[in-house]
Amino acid sequence: MFCVETQHFPLTRILLLAIGLWPYQRSKFSQLQATLCFGILSSFVVFQLTALITTKCTVDFIIKVFSTAMVFNFYIITYNMFWINTDHVRNLLDQLQCICNELKDENEIAIFKKYGNNTKRFTLILTSFSICCVFIAILLPIWPQILGIFLYINESRIQSQTIQIVTEYFVDQEKYYYLILLHTYAVFCIGATTVTAIGTMLLGCIVHAYGLFTIASYRIEQAMTTKIFENINLNSWSMICKKICYAVEIHHKAMKFTNFILSSFKGSFFMLIMFSVISLSLNFFAIFRNASLGNKEAFVLHILYVLVIYLYLFVSNYAGQEVLNYSTHIYSTTYNVQWYNAPLHVQKMILLILQRGSKTFSLNIAGLFTVSLECFATLTKASMSYFTVLYTMQQ
């Protein structure tokens, strides 16, 4: 027996602890930490929207403000998703631990550990990507200053060039420039940590669900091996019945666990999809707008926004597609075993699995979105359509 949370989610645990969202650490300090992180993220969006009060609003300016504000709203929704559902997150990990404790077969434990190692590998890759994105985002505001050391550019000119995100703090922005920049850096770091930590936690849970589906397929194959049918007796039929029962049980747990992930956060998932499509459309427009104006820093920044959102959408939809594939694999495995050689009562049990497998098991959000690669293509098409409308209106 091993601890799932420490052995399969070590890096995710560190990231969640850093932002006060680890479900097993609910001290007063962690609550203060969570409140501070959420306040920093929320205040940055507020200070972006206040720019609409003090500046003349044109269509171009509104799009400029909302193209970045939507991205940081994405961070807020993601953070809030775990903050208000701490019990659900802890329940997910507890369910995984209980399922792991019930595994006795060495091959099944090896399968479970294999998908746990995949979870750690995906977490490391996504964390590395996030670190690179944050590094680039932090470097962009100070890049003109680095050049200014060698090119002798006036400091006020440098500061005017480095402000790529429209904000209104109701203070002298030149005087408090470095405090504003510090606030921006804090938001980038907290936001990237939030998206990475929560994304890898949910992805890890889905990957473990793949392992449960694989174990169900393994149990079915072991229950209906050729060796069992070579020496048929009463004990053999009893053994087959037990193994089929175990296969049905783990299959049911895999489906229940996957549905619990979706039902726990379905409201947040729906909001994230809407904000993702709107944000992609606005940032595509901002990319073309800044490219035409020659604003390289803003161009790169909006490229980063698009890459992060696209990666988030692709990974989540690919994970949903894999759930569909693994569920279908159980159906094909059950269909291909020698079920016709089993006694009638065993065939009825196998028929139960076949009936489940004949119905497409997928992750469905609010009855509108089926998480899959097809959904990813649909969302991409929708965001490009809205971008085309915006671009046409500006011509």
Side-chain angles (χ1 to χ4, degrees), residues 124-134 196 304 307-308 311:
L124 183 60
I125 292 171
L126 293 175
T127 303
S128 301
F129 176 79
S130 295
I131 291 173
C132 292
C133 289
V134 171
T196 305
L304 283 178
L307 283 176
V308 169
L311 179 65

Side-chain angles (χ1 to χ4, degrees), residues 3-44:
C3 182
V4 172
E5 63 183 76
T6 56
Q7 294 192 26
H8 289 184
F9 296 94
L11 184 54
T12 301
R13 178 177 177 272
I14 294 172
L15 294 174
L16 287 173
L17 281 171
I19 55 177
L21 292 181
W22 182 244
Y24 294 102
Q25 185 72 30
R26 303 309 300 164
S27 62
K28 290 183 179 180
F29 175 76
S30 65
Q31 292 175 9
L32 176 63
Q33 192 179 6
T35 303
L36 182 62
C37 289
F38 186 78
I40 291 173
L41 293 175
S42 302
S43 62
F44 194 66

Side-chain angles (χ1 to χ4, degrees), residues 190-345:
I190 294 171
T193 305
T194 297
V195 171
T196 305
I198 294 177
T200 53
M201 172 61 78
L202 294 175
L203 178 62
C205 289
I206 292 292
V207 170
H208 280 81
Y210 303 161
L212 299 182
F213 284 120
T214 304
I215 291 172
S217 298
Y218 168 79
R219 287 182 176 180
I220 293 170
E221 290 174 344
Q222 292 300 305
M224 305 297 288
T225 55
T226 306
K227 290 183 179 179
I228 292 180
F229 291 107
E230 288 177 354
N231 299 309
I232 293 296
N233 53 50
L234 188 60
N235 290 332
S236 298
W237 294 133
S238 177
M239 186 184 302
I240 292 174
C241 289
K242 285 183 178 179
K243 289 185 176 182
I244 292 294
C245 285
Y246 292 152
V248 171
E249 180 187 19
I250 198 71
H251 184 213
H252 175 71
K253 287 182 179 179
M255 295 173 66
K256 183 180 178 180
F257 179 73
T258 309
N259 283 326
F260 182 77
I261 297 173
L262 192 65
S263 61
S264 298
F265 311 106
K266 59 182 178 182
S268 299
F269 288 153
F270 183 73
M271 292 182 66
L272 285 173
I273 289 174
M274 291 194 303
F275 274 87
S276 297
V277 173
I278 296 171
S279 183
L280 282 174
S281 304
L282 294 175
N283 278 283
F284 273 129
F285 180 83
I287 288 170
F288 277 83
R289 184 67 174 169
N290 286 290
S292 62
L293 296 175
N295 192 343
K296 296 179 182 179
E297 288 81 10
F299 174 80
V300 173
L301 193 60
H302 288 288
I303 286 285
L304 283 178
Y305 293 158
V306 169
L307 283 176
V308 169
I309 295 173
Y310 256 129
L311 179 65
Y312 207 88
L313 283 178
F314 176 76
V315 171
S316 57
N317 280 282
Y318 184 79
Q321 181 68 48
E322 285 296 290
V323 169
L324 177 62
N325 295 341
Y326 274 91
S327 179
T328 304
H329 179 68
I330 292 179
Y331 175 79
S332 61
T333 300
T334 307
Y335 187 80
N336 290 327
V337 297
Q338 298 181 25
W339 54 269
Y340 43 83
N341 289 329
L344 184 60
H345 61 281

Side-chain angles (χ1 to χ4, degrees), residues 100-112:
C100 174
N101 294 341
E102 292 172 358
L103 298 178
K104 304 301 180 183
D105 188 278
E106 291 184 0
N107 292 327
E108 294 178 2
I109 295 173
I111 291 171
F112 196 79

Side-chain angles (χ1 to χ4, degrees), residues 20-21 26-27 58 63 99 108 118 161 168 180 199 201 221 225 240 320 346 353 388:
L21 292 181
R26 303 309 300 164
S27 62
T58 61
I63 292 175
I99 293 171
E108 294 178 2
N118 289 342
Q161 288 178 345
E168 179 54 71
I180 295 173
M201 172 61 78
E221 290 174 344
T225 55
I240 292 174
V346 175
I353 301 177
T388 305

